[in-house]
């Protein structure tokens, strides 16, 4: 079945982001809360997973403005002071890759991890590569992205050939692996094209098809950030 058909996401009215002046929502009141940021790619991983599994009513979004985040977040909620974090069953947990697996294990909704042992093993390989991929591309912004980040995008292109029966990293199965990568690839694609005139999909047909397929999935589309705003943020952060 196509990923879009499995998608359980629903339209929702997004709550406003909280800044340093905002009061803290009640802690451990029985509500499951996802502390997030509407512009953070790490947080988007968990947001997409939540949406796809149809958990909008079950997991409440608590968006923060990271540039002016409330002091109570680090003092009383999550001492590392990063997003995402999840308040569930009387505890707070963090780290985006851990959290998307946590949602898969602890909540209902369409399965986002494979049963096939070979695909399970490959999924773990790709999860392990995410930090290297992101670091390589971010670092390339200071130099020549086509030369320095090209091999990282080639790695994804080659990975998409592993199971050739579908457009996703695990073939026909849309999975947490796709969710782990798409928030970053989306931003890299936009930023590198706009600032460096570098098209990451040129000569990488599988990567191009993968991005196109992801854009058919409503759970992902609901989390996409404004391209112009993102480019300006990255310019200030990486090219100042």
């Amino acid at each position: 079945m196509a990923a879009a058909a499995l998608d359980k996401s629903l339209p929702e009215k997004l709550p406003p982001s909280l800044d340093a002046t905002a009061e803290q929502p009640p802690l451990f009141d029985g509500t499951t809360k996802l502390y997030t940021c509407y512009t953070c790619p790490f947080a988007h991983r968990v947001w997409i997973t939540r949406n796809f599994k149809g958990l909008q009513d079950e997991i409440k979004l608590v968006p923060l403005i990271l540039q002016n985040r409330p002091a109570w977040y680090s003092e009383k909620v999550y001492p590392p002071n990063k997003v995402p974090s999840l308040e569930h069953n009387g505890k707070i947990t963090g780290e985006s890759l851990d959290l998307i697996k946590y949602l898969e294990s602890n909540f209902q909704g369409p399965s986002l991890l494979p049963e096939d042992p070979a695909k399970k093993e490959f999924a773990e390989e790709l999860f392990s590569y995410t930090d290297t991929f992101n670091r390589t591309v971010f670092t390339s912004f200071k130099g020549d992205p086509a030369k320095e980040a090209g091999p990282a995008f080639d790695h994804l292109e080659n990975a998409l050939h592993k199971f050739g029966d579908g457009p996703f990293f695990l073939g026909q199965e849309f999975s947490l692996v796709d969710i782990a990568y798409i928030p970053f690839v989306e931003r890299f694609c936009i930023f590198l094209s706009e600032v460096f005139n570098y098209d990451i999909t040129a000569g990488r047909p599988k990567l191009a098809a993968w991005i196109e397929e992801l854009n058919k999935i409503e759970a992902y589309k609901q989390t996409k950030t404004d391209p112009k705003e993102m480019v300006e943020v990255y310019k200030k952060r990486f090219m100042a």
Side-chain angles (χ1 to χ4, degrees), residues 69-169:
R69 70 194 79 183
W72 50 254
Y73 183 62
S74 63
E75 293 169 359
K76 299 179 181 179
V77 179
Y78 190 54
N81 204 23
K82 302 185 295 183
V83 293
S85 68
L86 186 75
E87 176 185 334
H88 181 239
N89 284 349
K91 64 179 182 179
I92 305 286
T93 51
E95 299 300 329
S96 61
L97 291 180
D98 293 339
L99 285 178
I100 60 177
K101 294 177 182 179
Y102 183 88
L103 294 192
E104 175 69 7
S105 299
N106 291 276
F107 292 86
Q108 294 184 334
S111 176
L112 285 165
L113 281 176
E115 296 291 335
D116 178 78
K119 290 186 176 181
K120 279 185 177 180
E121 182 180 358
F122 191 56
E124 289 303 322
E125 287 180 22
L126 288 172
F127 287 138
S128 297
Y129 180 65
T130 57
D131 285 347
T132 298
F133 172 75
N134 293 334
R135 184 169 56 251
T136 299
V137 181
F138 280 129
T139 302
S140 78
F141 295 168
K142 300 285 189 181
D144 181 351
K147 179 180 179 181
E148 297 169 26
F153 293 113
D154 289 340
H155 189 100
L156 298 194
E157 175 71 15
N158 293 333
L160 287 162
H161 283 267
K162 174 80 170 181
F163 301 102
D165 59 344
F168 304 112
F169 282 111

Side-chain angles (χ1 to χ4, degrees), residues 35-100:
Y35 295 88
T36 187
C37 171
Y38 292 142
T39 59
C40 173
F42 292 97
H44 281 198
R45 288 169 165 170
V46 191
W47 188 10
I48 295 166
T49 306
R50 163 195 180 263
N51 290 359
F52 193 84
K53 295 179 80 68
L55 301 171
Q56 285 101 325
D57 291 335
E58 197 166 341
I59 300 177
K60 178 184 177 183
L61 295 179
V62 182
L64 306 178
I65 297 176
L66 298 185
Q67 296 82 0
N68 188 26
R69 70 194 79 183
W72 50 254
Y73 183 62
S74 63
E75 293 169 359
K76 299 179 181 179
V77 179
Y78 190 54
N81 204 23
K82 302 185 295 183
V83 293
S85 68
L86 186 75
E87 176 185 334
H88 181 239
N89 284 349
K91 64 179 182 179
I92 305 286
T93 51
E95 299 300 329
S96 61
L97 291 180
D98 293 339
L99 285 178
I100 60 177

